[in-house]
Amino acid sequence: MSDTFTLDGKTISFTEGQTIMQAATDAGVYIPHLCYLPELKPHGSCKLCTVKINGRETSSCTMRAAAGMVVESDTEEINSQRRALIHMLFVEGNHLCPTCEVSGNCKLQATAYHLGFMSPQFDHFFPIRRVDASHPDIWLDFNRCILCSLCVQASRDVDGKNVFGLSGRGIKSRLIVNSKSGKLADTDMAVTDKAAQVCPVGVILKKRTAFKTPIGERTYDKKPISEVPDTPAKER
Amino acid sequence: MDTPVKKKLKVATASLAGCFGCHTSFLDIDERLLTLLEYIEFDRSPLTDIKEVSPDCDIGIIEGGVCNAENVHVLREYRKNCKVLIAIGACAYNGNIPVYRNQFPLPVVLEEVYHTGPGLANGLIPNDPELPLPLNKVHPIHEVVKVDYTIPGCPPSGDAIWKFLTDLLAGREPELGHGLLRYD
Amino acid sequence: MNTNSIQPEGITGVVDRVVARWRHDPTCMVQILREVQETCDWLPPEAIDRTQELLGVPRTSIEGVAHFYSFFYTQPRGLYRILVSDNITDRMLGNMALLDRLCQSLWVEPGKVSEDGLVSVDTTSDTGMGDQGPALLVNNYAVTRLSEARVDEIVDLVRGKVPLAQWPADYFKVEDNVRRADIMLGHALKPGDALRAAWGRAPAAMLEEIKRSNLRGRGGAGFTTGLKWEACRNAPLKAGQQRIVVCNADEGEPGTFKDRVLLASHADLVFEGMTVAAYAVGATRGFLYLRGEYRHLLDSLNGVLERRRQEGLLGKGILGVPGADFDIEIHLGAGAYICGEESALIESLEGKRGTPRNRPPFPVTNGYQDQPTIVNNVETFAAAALIAVHGGDWYASIGTKQSAGTKILSVSGDCERPGLYEYPFGVTVRQVLEDCGARDTQAVQVSGPSGVCVGAGEFDRRIGFEDIPTAGAFMVFDQSRDMFEVARNFVHFFQHESCGFCTPCRVGTSLLKNMMDKLHKGLGSRFDFAEIEQLNQLLKATSHCGLGHTACNPVLDTVAKFRPAYDQRLRRQDFMPAFDLDMALAEARQMTGRQDSGAHFKTEFGEG
C-alpha cells in the first residue's frame, strides 16, 4: 500500500522515493515546469514547479513526497510567482513568438498561456546572442535559451556524447557546444540524438521541418499544456 | 450587452512602431463594432483622424513599440490623457520585429541602411528636422510609460480583442482563455 | 610570486607540468586552470586544448569552469591584472576616486585592457581587507591601505614593467589588527596539544566532547557541529570510499576577514581542529578551500602543512599511531562567492562550476565525490581544537545558553579601531561599537549583505543565535552615510555573484540591480518601488539557495529601517523609463548632426 499526501486538497498516492512532481503526474495533476522531463534526472533550476509544502516553498520536481505532506500548487499566490518567473525568462532572452518556428510547440509559451501571463512589467535585457547554422541538420538559436540544461543532460546521460554544456556565470550564463570552434558542426551531434528532442523552447531546431505543421495546428494550439503529457514532445 | 445607460467611453488608439495589423485586427470584430459603438466613441485614432487626445479620454489603446522620439511624444500624450492605457500586440508589449535592430548599435544600422547598403542614391543619413530621430534601442511601451493592460498577439484576433474589451467594459478583469491568449 | 616572464617551456609545457603536478586528475580542474594562468597570465586557447588532450574531458567542462570563476581569463588581461576591492567599506574609504586615478594615469578604461596590453583595471567583490582598505589585488595578490601616493607608485611600477616580486614588500603587508582576544585569538596551544588530547580519548568520546560543547557552525547558519560530525561518522561507506573533512575558508561575505587572520597567525590551530574532526568522524582526507583573494596565504599554509607532516601531526601514522592517517590538500578558489555555500564548494573541489546542489542528500552522507563529508568554517575547526584540549563543558560554560563559546567579529567601516574583536557570545552591538571607537553610528550591517542591518534603536540587541546570528562581519555606518547606497552596493554584489543556476536569482538579482540603479539615477516612482517589493518576495520564495534567499535582505532591511532614504528617490509622480531618454537620442544626433529642438527631449517633459 502506498502513502498519500494532499495537493491542493486532493489526495495523491505515491510510492517510496517518488517526488511530488512524479506522484502528481501519475495522478494526472499538472504542475507547471520547464526544466523537468520524466526520463531525465530532475535538477530544479527553472523553479516553475515551486509549490508550498506545509507553508514553505520548494521545487516539486526534486522534493521527495512524504506521507501527510500538505502541498499547495494551483493558488493565486504561487501562480503569480510563476508568471513573474515566466516573465523573467522572457526578458532575459529574445523571445519573439511571431518569428519563432516553434510557436505552438513551445513549452515556455504554452506554460505562459496556461498561467494567463499577459501583463509585462520588467524591462527587457535584449542580450546580444548568436545563432549557429553550421550543422547540416540542426540549427541553434541561442536567443531563446532558458538554460534548462535538458540538452546538456540528454546528451551526456542518454546519448553519451557531452555535446552541450553550460558556461559563464549569473546573468552571463550561456549554453555552449563541445568543439574548439564553438560550432555545432564540429561536434558529434546527430539529429537523431535525444539532445535534439528535448529543448522546451526554440533553441535546438531541426532543419527543413519548421512549418510542416502549420501554426494553429500544433501541440499546444490544440490543447493547453496542462492536458498534454510530456512524452509527445519527442515527436514534435 | 444591455442597453447603454451611461455616457459613452472615449477610446483613443495609436500605432507607433507597428504595422497597423492590430488596428486591422480590431476591425475584424466585424459587425460587433456596431455594438461596441453603443458603449464607446473613438477619440484620436487612425479610424477618426482626430488630431489630439481629449483630456478626459477613458481608454487608450497603443499598437507598436517605441523606436523614435515621436513615438515617445505620442505615447506620453496618450498616457497623460487616458485613464486606462492598453498595450495591444507583440510590438507594444515586447518590441517584436522592430527589436531585431537592438542586436546592433544604431550607428551600424544607419550606416548599413544609408551608406553601405544598396538602393539609396545620395548615401546621406536624413537630417531633416521634420523627421523624428531614432532612439538607440527599440523599447516595448511599458518601459517608457505605465501600462495598465496588455492584449498579446501578433496580432491578437478580433475575437480576443472583443473578449478583452467586453470584459473591461463590463468591469471584469479581462481574461483570454486557451485559444484566445496567443503571443504569435 | 609570478614575475610575468616569458615562459621557456611554452604554453604546452606549462600545462603538462601543471596537469602532472595535479595527478592528471580532472577533479583538480580549478587548481589546474589557476596554476596555468599564474604562469601564462591568462588561459589561452592552446592551454585549454592541451588540458583537454591530457585530461580527456569534454571541452565544455573546461570552458564551463573557465568562464564561471571571476579570476579566470579566456582573453588576455595584461601582464598586470588589477582588481580594486569594491565593498561598501572600500567605497567609504574612497576606492572609486583611487580607481579613477589609477585608470587615468594608466590610460585604461575600467574593465578593459590598456591598448599596449600591459595592464587591466577592474573592480572585484570585497577582498577581505575591510580593516585596512581601500585594497586591491594585483595578479591575485592583495595590496592594502591604498592612498593616492601608493596608487601613483603602482602606476610607475606598472609602466616600468617591474616584476611583482620586486614591488615594495610593504604594499603586500596584511595586518592582523587583533583588538580584542579571548580564548581563541589568545590561546597558548602548541602544535600537537589538541591532537594529543584528542588521541587520549576514543573517537566516539571526542565526538561526545564536541556535542557536549554545544559548538555551532561559525559560517553563519549555526548548525550544531556535533550533530553534523555524528551524521558523517554514522554515514555508511561504499566500497572504496572514505570520509572527508573540508575546511571552508572561502571567506567571501563582504566585511568578513577573521578567517584570514586565523589562517595567517593560527594555522596550526585550524589544521589541528580539522585533524581532530577527522579523528572523531573517521576521515582520512581533508581539504582547505581557500578563497582566491587569499592567494598570499597559500605558500605559508602549504609550509605549515609540510612542517606538520614532518612533525608527525599530519599524514600517515599521526602521533606515531599506525593507521591514524589524515592529510590535507589546499584548493584555492578563483573569485566566486557562491563557493562559500557548502555544496557549491564541494562542486568546486571536484573541479566543476560552483553551483549549489539539490539537498537532500546532504554532504554528510553524499559530499565530495559522493562520500560522507563534513564542511565546517575555519573558526569552527579552531574552536574544535580548543575543545579537544579544554573539554566540552569548559566551552559550553562560555557565552550564552544557545550560543556557546566566543565569536570573532570583523569590524570595519566608521570606527577608530577596525579589526578583530573576539567576544563571548551575548555581547551587545552597543558594546562592540564602544570598544571599536564608533561614534554617531546610524547602523551596523551584521554578518554582511546576507545578514541583518541593525538600526540605532536596536543597539542593545545581542550577538548570538538567540538574537543576531553572524558569520562575523560587523560593518559600521555613521550618520553621514546614505543607507540606500549601502543597499545598492550589496545588491550589485549579489548580482555579480549569482551563479545563474536558478531563474529567480539569475534574472531577479539583475532586475533588482537595475531597479536600484534606476532609483539612484533619480528616475524612481512608486511603481518602481512596488516592483522592488515584488522581486524581494519572489527571490525569497523561489530561489535555489541562500544567495537568492538573502539577496533582497539589504533592501528589505533598509526599506524597513531607513525609509526616507528611499522616499527621497521616489519623488517622481509619473513612471519614468530606466534609461535617459535624451541620451537615447545621442547616437542619432551624432549620426545626423542635428541639434534642433526636435533632436532633444526637454528634461521637464517627463513630469507632465
Side-chain angles (χ1 to χ4, degrees):
Chain A
M1 199 194 104
S2 62
D3 282 318
T4 63
F5 63 91
T6 66
L7 176 57
D8 294 327
K10 191 181 167 185
T11 302
I12 308 276
S13 320
F14 68 95
T15 51
E16 177 65 33
Q18 269 195 318
T19 60
I20 289 165
M21 175 72 81
Q22 286 163 343
T25 306
D26 284 358
V29 179
Y30 170 73
I31 300 175
H33 58 274
L34 290 170
C35 73
Y36 167 76
L37 266 189
E39 60 262 59
L40 298 174
K41 190 174 174 232
H43 59 276
S45 68
C46 79
K47 300 298 171 195
L48 257 293
C49 75
T50 298
V51 293
K52 252 191 189 179
I53 300 175
N54 303 335
R56 206 175 156 180
E57 286 94 349
T58 192
S59 303
S60 59
C61 72
T62 52
M63 177 55 77
R64 290 200 174 175
M69 274 179 170
V70 178
V71 184
E72 294 168 70
S73 172
D74 193 14
T75 68
E76 180 46 33
E77 185 195 5
I78 297 171
N79 284 334
S80 134
Q81 288 171 355
R82 289 173 180 153
R83 280 191 290 273
L85 291 172
I86 286 274
H87 190 23
M88 284 181 171
L89 292 171
F90 276 137
V91 302
E92 176 191 28
N94 297 307
H95 296 273
L96 303 171
C97 299
T99 69
C100 179
E101 66 180 71
V102 179
S103 191
N105 286 332
C106 170
K107 285 191 180 177
L108 175 64
Q109 185 192 57
T111 308
Y113 291 165
H114 169 81
L115 294 165
F117 168 68
M118 50 190 284
S119 49
Q121 56 180 50
F122 302 141
D123 287 8
H124 285 252
F125 294 3
F126 296 125
I128 310 291
R129 298 204 191 151
R130 57 190 187 91
V131 297
D132 176 354
S134 62
H135 193 282
D137 301 317
I138 298 163
W139 66 288
L140 302 174
D141 188 339
F142 295 101
N143 284 290
R144 302 160 187 159
C145 185
I146 58 169
L147 300 163
C148 70
S149 78
L150 286 174
C151 59
V152 178
Q153 266 188 291
S155 184
R156 184 189 60 215
D157 300 343
V158 182
D159 304 325
K161 286 187 179 179
N162 289 299
V163 170
F164 296 99
L166 289 186
S167 188
R169 184 174 89 198
I171 198 65
K172 292 179 184 159
S173 299
R174 63 192 183 277
L175 188 65
I176 57 169
V177 303
N178 189 24
S179 65
K180 244 187 232 191
S181 64
K183 293 248 173 18
L184 190 66
D186 297 326
T187 69
D188 51 356
M189 176 97 183
V191 72
T192 49
D193 284 359
K194 180 75 178 171
Q197 333 293 326
V198 295
C199 182
V201 290
V203 180
I204 304 173
L205 303 160
K206 290 176 203 171
K207 289 183 175 176
R208 300 174 293 278
T209 64
F211 290 95
K212 274 188 179 162
T213 310
I215 299 274
E217 295 171 24
R218 298 180 170 191
T219 309
Y220 307 117
D221 291 333
K222 294 187 210 150
K223 274 187 193 173
I225 192 168
S226 55
E227 295 169 22
V228 183
D230 272 312
T231 31
K234 275 192 272 189
E235 286 104 48
R236 285 206 310 232
Chain B
M1 275 189 180
D2 302 324
T3 322
V5 286
K6 284 191 288 187
K7 188 166 99 49
K8 284 186 180 180
L9 295 173
K10 283 188 185 173
V11 176
T13 75
S15 180
L16 308 178
C19 71
F20 276 92
C22 296
H23 275 79
T24 309
S25 202
F26 199 154
L27 299 177
D28 279 345
I29 68 173
D30 297 332
E31 73 280 4
R32 287 171 293 187
L33 191 57
L34 299 174
T35 315
L36 191 63
L37 284 171
E38 292 173 20
Y39 295 84
I40 68 157
E41 59 179 312
F42 281 104
D43 196 70
R44 175 178 168 176
S45 164
L47 307 171
T48 61
D49 218 26
I50 296 171
K51 301 296 183 207
E52 283 181 0
V53 184
S54 304
D56 60 343
C57 195
D58 296 290
I59 298 171
I61 301 178
I62 305 290
E63 169 189 347
V66 180
C67 83
N68 63 31
E70 186 195 25
N71 293 158
V72 175
H73 289 296
V74 172
L75 180 58
R76 285 182 152 177
E77 190 199 343
Y78 276 69
R79 177 68 276 181
K80 188 177 168 185
N81 295 306
C82 301
K83 293 186 189 80
V84 170
L85 195 70
I86 301 171
I88 187 167
C91 300
Y93 84 83
N94 71 14
N96 202 17
I97 314 278
V99 298
Y100 275 104
R101 87 150 152 93
N102 290 356
Q103 295 284 313
F104 307 95
L106 180 65
V108 171
V109 176
L110 292 175
E111 286 282 342
E112 172 70 18
V113 171
Y114 294 107
H115 286 161
T116 52
L120 283 167
N122 65 6
L124 290 176
I125 297 170
N127 61 356
D128 191 319
E130 287 290 301
L131 295 171
L133 282 183
L135 299 170
N136 59 354
K137 297 273 183 235
V138 178
H139 297 272
I141 67 169
H142 72 266
E143 294 184 10
V144 178
V145 297
K146 186 69 193 160
V147 174
D148 302 301
Y149 294 99
T150 300
I151 315 176
C154 183
S157 66
D159 287 343
I161 296 171
W162 173 253
K163 171 74 165 63
F164 188 97
L165 290 178
T166 48
D167 276 356
L168 193 67
L169 293 175
R172 292 187 295 265
E173 189 62 22
E175 256 184 56
L176 303 175
H178 183 252
L180 288 183
L181 176 57
R182 296 191 67 110
Y183 304 144
D184 58 359
Chain C
M1 216 178 265
N2 177 17
T3 54
N4 309 311
S5 58
I6 306 157
Q7 317 95 37
E9 48 191 337
I11 291 168
T12 316
V14 172
V15 175
D16 289 359
R17 170 173 58 80
V18 170
V19 169
R21 206 178 97 64
W22 290 96
R23 312 176 293 271
H24 284 76
D25 184 351
T27 67
C28 299
M29 184 68 76
V30 177
Q31 302 316 302
I32 290 167
L33 296 182
R34 178 181 64 76
E35 288 195 0
V36 168
Q37 180 168 298
E38 282 197 358
T39 312
C40 298
D41 289 312
W42 64 298
L43 297 170
E46 304 92 299
I48 293 180
D49 293 347
R50 185 66 181 165
T51 309
Q52 204 264 327
E53 271 171 44
L54 292 176
L55 296 180
V57 295
R59 197 184 175 84
T60 44
S61 64
I62 306 175
E63 289 184 358
V65 167
H67 288 272
F68 184 87
Y69 298 88
S70 293
F71 294 168
F72 290 150
Y73 304 122
T74 53
Q75 300 286 325
R77 296 290 295 176
L79 290 178
Y80 299 93
R81 300 167 297 281
I82 298 176
L83 294 171
V84 176
S85 180
D86 196 18
N87 186 26
I88 186 69
T89 52
D90 295 292
R91 290 235 166 178
M92 285 152 55
L93 292 165
N95 71 330
M96 284 294 112
L98 295 172
L99 174 83
D100 285 347
R101 190 181 184 92
L102 195 56
C103 286
Q104 278 175 17
S105 306
L106 288 169
W107 287 79
V108 59
E109 275 181 66
K112 302 222 167 116
V113 188
S114 62
E115 275 183 25
D116 57 5
L118 180 64
V119 57
S120 59
V121 180
D122 206 343
T123 55
T124 189
S125 300
D126 187 19
T127 57
M129 302 290 164
D131 56 338
Q132 46 206 303
L136 59 74
L137 298 173
V138 53
N139 300 355
N140 289 20
Y141 284 87
V143 175
T144 59
R145 291 156 293 149
L146 290 177
S147 60
E148 288 188 356
R150 184 159 282 187
V151 163
D152 294 345
E153 289 165 24
I154 289 174
V155 168
D156 289 341
L157 291 166
V158 168
R159 282 210 180 131
K161 298 185 188 173
V162 178
L164 218 52
Q166 292 166 32
W167 287 25
D170 186 45
Y171 288 15
F172 303 100
K173 198 168 168 204
V174 179
E175 306 278 358
D176 280 359
N177 289 332
V178 175
R179 311 287 185 182
R180 188 184 195 282
D182 207 299
I183 55 169
M184 187 174 291
L185 292 171
H187 78 93
L189 301 192
K190 302 269 176 306
D193 284 357
L195 294 194
R196 279 182 284 274
W199 261 248
R201 306 178 181 95
M206 184 61 237
L207 176 61
E208 207 46 50
E209 216 56 48
I210 294 292
K211 286 169 77 177
R212 194 174 304 140
S213 74
N214 289 332
L215 175 64
R216 295 171 69 171
R218 294 298 192 251
F223 192 81
T224 307
T225 307
L227 292 181
K228 186 186 270 190
W229 290 15
E230 187 170 47
C232 178
R233 179 183 158 84
N234 292 340
L237 292 179
K238 294 184 202 117
Q241 286 195 332
Q242 58 187 330
R243 293 193 176 80
I244 309 286
V245 169
V246 177
C247 178
N248 183 349
D250 193 50
E251 186 174 44
E253 191 70 42
T256 317
F257 42 84
K258 45 109 188 161
D259 295 342
R260 183 198 78 216
V261 176
L262 283 172
L263 290 168
S265 300
H266 305 277
D268 273 296
L269 190 70
V270 177
F271 291 140
E272 205 125 313
M274 290 176 70
T275 314
V276 166
Y279 179 71
V281 305
T284 42
R285 190 165 186 201
F287 292 97
L288 176 78
Y289 189 90
L290 182 68
R291 74 184 303 219
E293 289 81 349
Y294 294 167
R295 172 66 182 85
H296 68 280
L297 292 174
L298 180 63
D299 300 336
S300 65
L301 286 171
N302 272 322
V304 172
L305 289 176
E306 192 45 45
R307 191 196 75 233
R308 290 181 67 84
R309 286 184 198 107
Q310 315 244 324
E311 291 170 354
L313 303 175
L314 195 67
K316 293 230 174 274
I318 293 172
L319 296 178
V321 178
D325 302 340
F326 177 69
D327 211 331
I328 297 171
E329 183 169 283
I330 302 176
H331 279 222
L332 207 60
Y337 165 76
I338 190 62
C339 291
E341 195 280 341
E342 63 175 6
S343 66
L345 186 154
I346 290 170
E347 290 282 298
S348 185
L349 275 181
E350 291 181 1
K352 300 178 197 157
R353 298 158 57 74
T355 46
R357 294 176 176 177
N358 280 301
R359 298 179 304 169
F362 292 94
V364 283
T365 55
N366 303 74
Y368 177 74
Q369 293 185 317
D370 210 33
Q371 303 170 104
T373 303
I374 56 166
V375 182
N376 280 117
N377 182 262
V378 173
E379 193 180 348
T380 313
F381 283 120
L386 297 177
I387 293 163
V389 173
H390 301 294
D393 289 335
W394 165 80
Y395 195 80
S397 71
I398 302 163
T400 67
K401 192 155 182 286
Q402 287 176 47
S403 313
T406 61
K407 182 77 195 91
I408 304 177
L409 300 178
S410 313
V411 177
S412 62
D414 294 315
C415 64
E416 278 171 16
R417 294 176 294 281
L420 294 195
Y421 291 76
E422 184 187 6
Y423 294 97
F425 269 113
V427 66
T428 61
V429 171
R430 191 180 306 285
Q431 181 69 52
V432 182
L433 288 171
E434 219 164 87
D435 292 351
C436 71
R439 265 194 291 274
D440 210 15
T441 304
Q442 176 179 202
V444 181
Q445 184 76 26
V446 183
S447 204
S450 64
V452 55
C453 184
V454 179
E458 310 169 87
F459 287 169
D460 289 322
R461 291 181 65 183
R462 292 173 186 279
I463 301 295
F465 298 104
E466 299 92 333
D467 190 4
I468 308 179
T470 178
F474 193 98
M475 290 183 273
V476 183
F477 303 98
D478 70 19
Q479 293 292 347
S480 72
R481 305 299 176 183
D482 181 344
M483 294 311 289
F484 169 83
E485 287 302 330
V486 174
R488 191 169 77 95
N489 177 270
F490 293 161
V491 166
H492 276 243
F493 166 76
F494 284 123
Q495 190 271 346
H496 179 70
E497 298 296 346
S498 170
C499 81
F501 173 77
C502 76
T503 309
C505 181
R506 182 179 69 243
V507 188
T509 53
S510 279
L511 289 170
L512 195 57
K513 173 188 167 207
N514 294 345
M515 295 306 292
M516 293 294 276
D517 287 354
K518 184 178 180 181
L519 265 57
H520 167 79
K521 285 187 253 174
L523 298 169
S525 66
R526 64 197 158 92
F527 303 108
D528 303 301
F529 194 70
E531 190 170 319
I532 287 176
E533 297 221 296
Q534 190 205 356
L535 284 169
N536 288 340
Q537 200 274 332
L538 192 68
L539 275 162
K540 258 204 176 345
T542 62
S543 293
H544 180 64
C545 79
L547 192 152
H549 293 146
T550 55
C552 48
N553 280 358
V555 179
L556 288 172
D557 269 1
T558 47
V559 164
K561 296 170 187 176
F562 304 96
R563 184 60 191 259
Y566 285 80
D567 285 340
Q568 70 181 50
R569 291 178 166 86
L570 297 166
R571 285 189 186 146
R572 299 271 183 177
Q573 290 303 306
D574 291 332
F575 176 89
M576 293 292 288
F579 58 95
D580 182 320
L581 272 171
D582 192 55
M583 280 305 292
L585 290 178
E587 287 178 344
R589 278 195 295 268
Q590 200 188 353
M591 294 298 283
T592 58
R594 281 177 54 186
Q595 283 298 339
D596 55 279
S597 63
H600 285 279
F601 283 106
K602 292 184 222 73
T603 44
E604 73 273 21
F605 190 80
E607 298 298 326

